[in-house]
C-alpha cells in the first residue's frame, strides 16, 4: 500500500492526505468528545491527561526520532552505493582505453548493456518493491566475459587490466548491496510503534479540556499536524527507490557513462 501511494501520488498530495486527515480526525474527535462529555470543557482531568500526554509523547518522540534518523541514514547509504557502483563502472571504461580497439569496444559494449539494463529494467522493479538479481545477471556475466577474453601484454596493459578487474569486482559487490537496500523497509514492530503510537496519542488530546472551543481545536490541530508531518517523513523515506525522494539512477548516465545514452 505504501509503495502504491509513493509511486502514484506526489509528496505534496500525500502530505495533504496525511496531515489533512489527521487534523480532520482531531477536530472531529475533539468536538464529538465535548458533546458526549460536556464536563471535559472544565478541565477536570487536565492534570491526569497532561501527565499521560507528556509520558507517551516523550516515548513516541524518541521512537520517531530514531526511526527518522535511521531511514535518512539508509537513504544516504543507498545514494552512496549507487554512486559508487556507477563510479566503478566509469573507471572500468577509463581503464579499458589502453586496450586494443577490438577489446576496448567489447568492454564498452558490455558496460553500455549493463547500465541500460540497470536503469531501464532493474530500476523499475526496485521502484515497485520487486528487486531482482536476475534482471542484470546476463549483463554482469557479459562484463566479466569481456575482460576475461583479453590477455594483457606489457606492464602498462597489465596495470590497467588489473585495475579494471578490481573495479568490476567492486561493481558486483555494489550491485548486490543496491538490490539488498531495495528489499529493506521499516520492520513490522517499528511500523506498529510509529503508526500505532500516533493513534494512541491523538485521542488523548480529545480529553484535554479548554473552556474555549476554538483554543482546544487549535491545540488538537497543532498536535495532529505535527504527527501527520512526522508520519509523512517516515512514509517518504521508508522506501529508498520509491516516491519523489527516491534515489535517482542519474549516476549511471553521467561522466564516462554518458556516452552510452547518446
Amino acid at each position: 500500500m505504501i509503495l502504491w501511494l509513493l509511486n502514484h501520488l506526489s509528496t505534496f498530495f500525500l502530505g495533504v492526505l496525511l496531515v489533512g486527515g489527521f487534523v480532520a480526525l482531531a477536530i472531529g474527535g475533539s468536538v464529538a468528545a465535548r458533546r458526549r462529555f460536556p464536563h471535559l470543557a472544565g478541565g477536570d482531568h487536565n492534570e491526569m491527561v497532561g501527565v499521560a500526554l507528556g509520558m507517551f509523547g516523550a516515548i513516541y518522540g524518541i521512537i520517531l526520532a530514531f526511526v527518522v534518523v535511521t531511514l535518512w541514514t539508509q537513504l544516504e547509504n543507498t545514494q552512496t552505493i549507487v554512486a559508487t557502483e556507477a563510479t566503478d563502472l566509469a573507471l572500468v571504461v577509463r581503464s579499458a582505453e589502453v586496450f586494443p580497439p577490438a577489446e576496448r569496444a567489447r568492454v564498452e559494449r558490455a558496460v553500455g548493456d549493463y547500465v541500460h539494463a540497470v536503469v531501464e529494467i532493474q530500476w523499475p522493479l526496485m521502484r515497485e518493491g520487486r528487486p531482482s538479481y536476475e534482471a542484470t545477471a546476463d549483463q554482469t556475466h557479459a562484463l566479466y566475459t569481456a575482460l576475461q577474453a583479453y590477455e594483457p601484454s606489457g606492464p602498462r596493459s597489465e596495470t590497467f587490466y588489473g585495475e579494471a578487474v578490481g573495479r568490476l569486482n567492486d561493481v558486483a559487490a555494489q550491485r548486490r548491496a543496491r538490490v539488498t537496500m531495495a528489499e529493506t523497509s521499516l520492520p513490522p514492530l517499528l511500523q506498529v510503534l510509529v503508526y500505532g503510537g500516533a493513534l494512541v496519542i491523538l485521542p488523548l488530546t480529545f480529553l484535554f479540556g479548554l473552556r474555549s472551543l476554538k483554543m482546544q481545536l487549535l491545540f488538537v490541530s497543532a498536535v495532529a499536524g505535527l504527527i501527520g508531518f512526522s508520519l509523512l517523513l517516515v512514509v517518504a523515506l521508508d522506501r529508498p527507490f520509491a516516491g519523489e525522494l527516491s534515489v535517482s539512477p542519474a549516476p549511471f548516465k553521467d561522466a564516462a557513462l554518458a556516452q552510452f545514452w547518446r
Side-chain angles (χ1 to χ4, degrees):
M1 181 62 180
I2 291 179
L3 275 173
W4 188 91
L5 291 173
L6 288 172
N7 290 327
H8 291 83
L9 300 179
S10 67
T11 302
F12 175 78
F13 189 69
L14 193 57
V16 170
L17 286 180
L18 273 176
V19 178
F22 270 90
V23 171
L25 177 62
I27 292 175
S30 185
V31 171
R34 282 175 69 103
R35 289 180 178 176
R36 180 67 178 83
F37 306 104
H39 64 279
L40 289 176
D44 298 338
H45 307 290
N46 282 1
E47 184 176 353
M48 179 188 67
V49 174
V51 172
L53 275 174
M55 181 180 65
F56 284 116
I59 295 173
Y60 183 69
I62 292 172
I63 294 172
L64 196 59
F66 168 76
V67 169
V68 170
V69 170
T70 299
L71 292 177
W72 181 258
T73 302
Q74 173 182 289
L75 181 65
E76 288 187 327
N77 289 341
T78 305
Q79 291 174 331
T80 300
I81 289 171
V82 170
T84 302
E85 181 183 1
T87 300
D88 287 333
L89 274 174
L91 291 176
V92 170
V93 174
R94 296 298 190 192
S95 297
E97 290 178 355
V98 303
F99 296 179
E103 283 72 17
R104 183 175 68 247
R106 186 185 301 113
V107 172
E108 291 179 347
R109 183 165 54 252
V111 172
D113 292 342
Y114 180 85
V115 295
H116 277 276
V118 168
V119 175
E120 297 171 353
I121 300 176
Q122 198 167 44
W123 217 270
L125 293 175
M126 294 190 299
R127 185 177 178 85
E128 295 171 4
R130 298 185 293 113
S132 171
Y133 290 103
E134 298 301 321
T136 54
D138 292 340
Q139 289 78 12
T140 303
H141 178 70
L143 279 169
Y144 276 97
T145 301
L147 284 179
Q148 291 166 354
Y150 173 54
E151 184 67 33
S153 58
R156 182 166 176 268
S157 298
E158 290 176 357
T159 298
F160 281 99
Y161 179 79
E163 176 68 12
V165 171
R167 293 297 180 176
L168 181 55
N169 288 333
D170 291 339
V171 168
Q174 297 301 326
R175 166 178 170 266
R176 176 170 291 276
R178 171 170 52 80
V179 174
T180 299
M181 294 300 288
E183 295 173 337
T184 60
S185 63
L186 200 62
L189 180 58
L190 282 179
Q191 291 186 31
V192 171
L193 288 173
V194 169
Y195 300 118
L199 297 179
V200 169
I201 292 178
L202 193 59
L204 284 176
T205 62
F206 304 164
L207 305 178
F208 196 86
L210 295 173
R211 295 189 182 280
S212 171
L213 177 59
K214 291 183 178 179
M215 291 302 297
Q216 181 164 0
L217 294 183
L218 181 62
F219 167 69
V220 297
S221 297
V223 174
L226 180 60
I227 293 176
F229 273 115
S230 300
L231 293 184
L232 173 64
L233 188 58
V234 172
V235 170
L237 296 176
D238 189 21
R239 300 287 184 151
F241 291 99
E244 292 183 352
L245 297 181
S246 61
V247 178
S248 169
F252 290 97
K253 299 181 180 181
D254 294 336
L257 303 181
Q259 60 181 305
F260 304 114
W261 297 94
R262 294 170 182 167

